[in-house]
Amino acid sequence: MEKKPDSLRPHIVLCGAVNAGKSSLMNALTGQEAAIVSDTAGTTTDAVSKAMELLPFGPVVFTDTAGLGDRTGLGEKRMAKTAVALAGAEVMLAVIDVRYPFYDFPATEAATVAAVTHCDCVDAETAAARIAEVKQRMPSAAGAVAVSAKTGAGIEELKQLLISVLEKKKDDSSELMDGLTGVNRLFVLVCPIDSEAPAGRLILPQVQTIRRILDTCGTAVTVQPEQLPQALALLGDRIDLVVTDSQVVDYCAQTVPPSIRLTTFSVLFSAWRGDIRTYIRNAAILDSLQDEDSVLIAESCTHQVHCDDIGRVKLPRLIRKYTGKNPHIDVFGGDYPDDISRYKLIIHCGGCMMTAARMRSRTRQAVAAGIPITNYGVAISHMQGVLKRITEIYEEGQEG
């Protein structure tokens, strides 16, 4: 992989009223013409993202969104896209035009930084008064900066404020395999060659797990399922953890002795990016599914459907075989359907193609609607009868 995936970069989403200067500010921050700039209201009609290095912090994604208060015919749909972008954001950059009255911003779980734009159009006293007003009306914001995209005033100060907020969030955030990795720890990774993966490539969760082990000075031994017995015979009790693809978890549970801990890539990702304990608890809903029930299989991305597609082929087949029922199963890639209230259960993918913030947001959305949500790997392990075995690592004091 030549660059850090966007799903692993903190997302900074610019949000503000129509013509507040969001696109101009994004271009000033990125140093490129990443967004179209015009005096015409509603120029930005969809979220526009630009990946870049915010030095000295590192890789981030800036996203420009349609203006709040858009009363055009497509305004409602544009606001829905803005809400999706904010759901995946680490930081909301609230853009406020110094020339116009304050505009209320949507509630968000993201940290908030305020930028007061067009300050080249007013005197210093007026700009200072607006900054004071913003701080009063947005007390939870990490700070507010007066800027001018035209002159460049305040841009560097705003970057430094964003960096300080991102550094704090980085310190407070979890990492993949938190509490499991360490110097000289030995991991065996069971990676069947996925028919959906391009030739010469591993799938993203496998790549990220290997990188995390290497970053923490551990040792990763990668095998296909048929090589697992040989690896166990060679390495024995020196193995700290075996991590397997969910599709062969039953085989691995039978092959790996109880003295060696076992889990799946999906469980590791659920603990890192979602709510593992909620997913474990809700897997039992599968036991009570009936023919008249509806199940939503939620994917974090859209992709070409393969004959062995896990979400669209293998998982529905396994559900019907396990339950002996024929529930209605919908598969959605990208966003949830507009109404999720009719589903008895949501089974979500690991979310490797979306930010952790968005994965947590989608979990909260299901919980708020009263719809149980679980995860691909957790659901598969439950149906294979090995869920307790592969989640024991989170019953031993590990953070999930």
Side-chain angles (χ1 to χ4, degrees), residues 25-352:
L25 180 58
M26 177 166 159
N27 290 344
L29 288 166
T30 62
Q32 300 180 34
E33 295 299 313
I36 298 173
V37 175
S38 171
D39 291 333
T40 303
T43 297
T44 302
T45 59
D46 206 348
V48 177
S49 295
K50 176 63 180 178
M52 65 167 287
E53 295 286 325
L54 184 60
L55 299 176
F57 174 78
V60 300
V61 173
F62 281 101
T63 299
D64 185 20
T65 60
L68 302 175
D70 182 350
R71 293 180 174 82
T72 65
L74 294 175
E76 185 175 334
K77 291 185 177 180
R78 291 170 179 170
M79 293 307 96
K81 291 292 186 181
T82 297
V84 169
L86 283 174
E90 294 292 339
V91 179
M92 178 178 76
L93 180 50
V95 182
I96 301 152
D97 193 329
V98 72
R99 302 169 298 177
Y100 300 109
F102 185 90
Y103 197 96
D104 289 331
F105 287 84
T108 176
E109 297 289 330
T112 300
V113 169
V116 178
T117 58
H118 297 107
C119 285
D120 56 293
C121 299
V122 299
D123 57 37
E125 184 177 349
T126 301
R130 176 50 69 90
I131 290 290
E133 178 194 6
V134 169
K135 289 180 177 179
Q136 180 180 17
R137 298 188 67 163
M138 304 180 75
S140 62
V145 180
V147 300
S148 167
K150 181 178 181 179
T151 67
I155 297 299
E156 286 305 315
E157 182 184 352
L158 178 59
K159 285 183 180 180
Q160 292 307 310
L161 178 56
L162 289 170
I163 288 170
S164 67
V165 171
L166 290 172
E167 290 286 5
K168 184 178 186 304
K169 289 186 73 68
K170 183 178 179 181
D171 291 340
D172 293 341
S173 64
S174 63
E175 294 276 2
L176 174 62
M177 301 179 74
D178 259 0
L180 299 172
T181 57
V183 176
N184 296 327
R185 289 194 176 183
L186 177 61
F187 300 86
V188 172
L189 311 181
V190 183
C191 303
I193 300 301
D194 195 317
S195 58
E196 296 177 59
R201 296 280 189 90
L202 295 174
I203 60 175
L204 187 58
Q206 295 167 357
V207 172
Q208 291 177 239
T209 302
I210 292 170
R211 177 57 190 264
R212 175 63 174 159
I213 292 169
L214 295 177
D215 283 344
T216 55
C217 300
T219 300
V221 176
T222 308
V223 300
Q224 292 196 57
E226 56 268 26
Q227 298 172 295
L228 179 59
Q230 182 182 10
L232 294 170
L234 288 171
L235 301 171
D237 291 339
R238 288 179 290 172
I239 299 171
D240 287 283
L241 179 67
V242 174
V243 185
T244 179
D245 186 285
S246 296
Q247 297 181 64
V248 291
V249 66
D250 185 39
Y251 164 77
C252 290
Q254 295 177 42
T255 307
V256 177
S259 59
I260 299 176
R261 297 187 299 173
L262 172 69
T263 194
T264 69
F265 292 103
S266 186
V267 165
L268 293 178
F269 270 70
S270 297
W272 174 34
R273 306 173 76 82
D275 184 346
I276 183 63
R277 290 178 176 82
T278 292
Y279 303 153
I280 293 170
R281 182 174 64 252
N282 289 337
I285 299 294
L286 287 159
D287 298 342
S288 59
L289 284 182
Q290 301 298 318
D291 291 334
E292 64 271 18
D293 292 327
S294 293
V295 175
L296 172 62
I297 295 179
E299 300 173 332
S300 62
C301 61
T302 55
H303 58 273
Q304 183 175 354
V305 178
H306 191 274
C307 62
D308 287 328
D309 189 273
I310 178 65
R312 297 171 184 264
V313 179
K314 291 183 177 180
L315 193 50
R317 184 170 60 212
L318 182 59
I319 291 171
R320 293 185 173 109
K321 179 180 178 181
Y322 175 76
T323 63
K325 304 294 182 180
N326 189 31
H328 179 77
I329 299 176
D330 291 331
V331 183
F332 271 73
D335 299 334
Y336 282 154
D338 291 337
D339 180 16
I340 61 173
S341 63
R342 66 189 183 90
Y343 294 106
K344 183 166 183 179
L345 180 66
I346 296 174
I347 306 177
H348 205 294
C349 71
C352 65

